[in-house]
Amino acid sequence: MTKLSLGSHPYMLGFEDLERLLERNAKSGNEGYPPFNIEQTSQNSYRITLAVAGFAENDLSITLEDRQLVIRGRQSDEYEGRIFLHRGIAARQFQRSFVLADGVEVGEAIMENGLLHVDLTRAAPEAVVQRINIRKG
C-alpha cells in the first residue's frame, strides 16, 4: 500500500508548502519542555500559554518565520559560583514551534505569574464563489 501525503493526494492541490512546513515543525526538536496549553478563547481567537517559571522577559524571544510561530527561551547564567545541594528547577534553553494557518495573526504576548501568554486571532474567511466560463477549443 502506498502512503499518500498532502502533496500527492489527487484531491489536495497546492498543499506542498504546507506539507514541508509540517515536516519542518516535526523535526524542530519540540520536546516536553516547557509544558504548554492551547485554548480557544472565542470563535476566532486562541491563546498559547507556556509555563516559563524562572525566565524573565529578556530571556524569551517570539518570532514568526514562514507561518511558524517560534518561542525560544535562554536563561542567563547567573548561578555561576553558587553551590546547589539540590537543583530541581530547570534552567535550560528551549524552543517551541507552532504552525499557523493562513489568516492567523499573532497578537500580544503577556508574562503573568511565570506564564507566557501569546494571543492569536484568525480573520473570518470570506465566502467566495467564482463562476468559470467554458469556451470552445
Side-chain angles (χ1 to χ4, degrees):
M1 177 177 243
T2 305
K3 179 183 173 195
L4 289 178
S5 63
L6 285 176
S8 66
H9 194 280
Y11 302 118
M12 305 290 283
L13 304 174
F15 286 91
E16 296 83 7
D17 288 342
L18 179 60
E19 186 172 22
R20 280 192 292 274
L21 189 62
L22 289 171
E23 286 175 7
R24 187 177 73 196
N25 189 51
K27 295 176 186 175
S28 70
N30 271 347
E31 52 187 49
Y33 178 78
F36 66 95
N37 292 336
I38 300 175
E39 61 183 301
Q40 186 169 1
T41 53
S42 76
Q43 186 173 350
N44 292 316
S45 63
Y46 308 93
R47 174 173 268 190
I48 299 171
T49 301
L50 283 86
V52 291
F55 286 86
E57 289 89 350
N58 294 340
D59 297 332
L60 301 168
S61 72
I62 303 170
T63 57
L64 188 58
E65 305 168 9
D66 187 28
R67 293 188 303 175
Q68 190 169 13
L69 177 67
V70 180
I71 303 171
R72 294 180 178 95
R74 182 182 191 108
Q75 289 179 316
S76 57
D77 195 11
E78 62 186 49
Y79 303 113
E80 198 169 304
R82 294 171 69 180
I83 300 170
F84 289 92
L85 300 179
H86 172 74
R87 189 166 181 181
I89 300 173
R92 58 183 172 170
Q93 63 184 14
F94 70 86
Q95 176 175 312
R96 277 271 180 208
S97 301
F98 303 90
V99 177
L100 304 181
D102 285 335
V104 174
E105 296 182 6
V106 180
E108 63 180 346
I110 304 164
M111 278 285 280
E112 177 183 49
N113 299 325
L115 299 174
L116 173 65
H117 304 289
V118 180
D119 292 325
L120 308 170
T121 56
R122 179 181 59 191
E126 295 179 21
V128 176
V129 177
Q130 182 180 0
R131 181 166 173 85
I132 310 299
N133 293 321
I134 302 171
R135 67 176 181 94
K136 282 190 173 179

